[in-house]
């Protein structure tokens, strides 16, 4: 519930004048700290950043590097799955079993995991012969 409230709250700060689609994300770390992020769009569209990326950046800036729970919320008909790039970003700091809740502002929730979102993930082991 706490993650949901923080994600909902940070979503209010989203800068989404181009898509009008505001997203909030909240991450919990092993220490119990919560970091949040919202999408920040740009007139040069590809320069925009996702809510998940903002939350991850806040976590790393605070000196933490492990995620144990993720919550993402948007005002969409169905819970919005993270984009491909954010799945890879989450996998950098979260194990495959880490729970991810995707939610709508209306109250629908879908529970999944980082591993389910990114099967066959590229990881450090794939560079062993480099
Ligand atoms: N977006 C996120 O922030 N997170 C997601 O999981 C899906 C998409 C943002 C990016 C863009 O600002 C807007 O939603 C529309 O794609």
């Amino acid at each position: 519930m706490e993650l949901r409230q923080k994600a909902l709250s940070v979503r209010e700060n989203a800068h989404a004048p181009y898509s009008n689609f505001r997203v909030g994300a909240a991450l919990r770390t092993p220490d119990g700290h919560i970091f949040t992020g919202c999408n920040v769009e740009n007139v040069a569209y590809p320069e925009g950043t996702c809510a998940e990326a903002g939350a991850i950046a806040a976590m790393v800036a605070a000196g933490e590097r492990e995620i144990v729970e993720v919550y993402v919320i948007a005002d969409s008909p169905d819970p919005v799955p993270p984009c491909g790039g954010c799945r890879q970003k989450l996998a950098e700091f979260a194990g495959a079993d880490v729970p991810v809740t995707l939610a709508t502002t209306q109250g629908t929730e879908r529970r999944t995991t980082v591993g389910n979102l990114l099967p066959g993930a590229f990881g450090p082991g794939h560079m062993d012969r480099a």
Side-chain angles (χ1 to χ4, degrees):
M1 203 61 202
E2 197 186 359
L3 277 187
R4 178 184 172 85
Q5 267 159 7
K6 299 237 175 182
L8 202 50
S9 167
V10 73
R11 177 180 167 274
E12 294 297 318
N13 296 333
H15 175 67
Y18 308 106
S19 71
N20 268 323
F21 188 68
R22 291 181 295 158
V23 184
L27 315 172
R28 193 192 312 276
T29 66
D31 286 353
H33 297 142
I34 294 175
F35 296 95
T36 61
C38 55
N39 52 333
V40 182
E41 296 183 350
N42 192 282
V43 64
Y45 292 179
E47 299 303 326
T49 51
C50 288
E52 297 89 328
I56 289 168
M59 175 191 75
V60 173
E64 298 201 46
R65 287 174 195 273
E66 194 182 340
I67 298 168
V68 295
E69 195 178 350
V70 182
Y71 199 103
V72 183
I73 193 162
D75 182 12
S76 50
D78 294 308
V80 167
C83 76
C86 283
R87 294 173 194 221
Q88 186 75 39
K89 289 182 178 79
L90 288 169
E92 181 75 13
F93 301 104
D97 293 341
V98 165
V100 180
T101 303
L102 307 172
T104 71
T105 53
Q106 303 298 306
T108 305
E109 290 188 341
R110 182 163 86 81
R111 306 243 322 151
T112 183
T113 62
V114 168
N116 280 335
L117 287 171
L118 193 63
F122 173 66
H126 294 106
M127 294 190 292
D128 275 354
R129 293 203 298 171

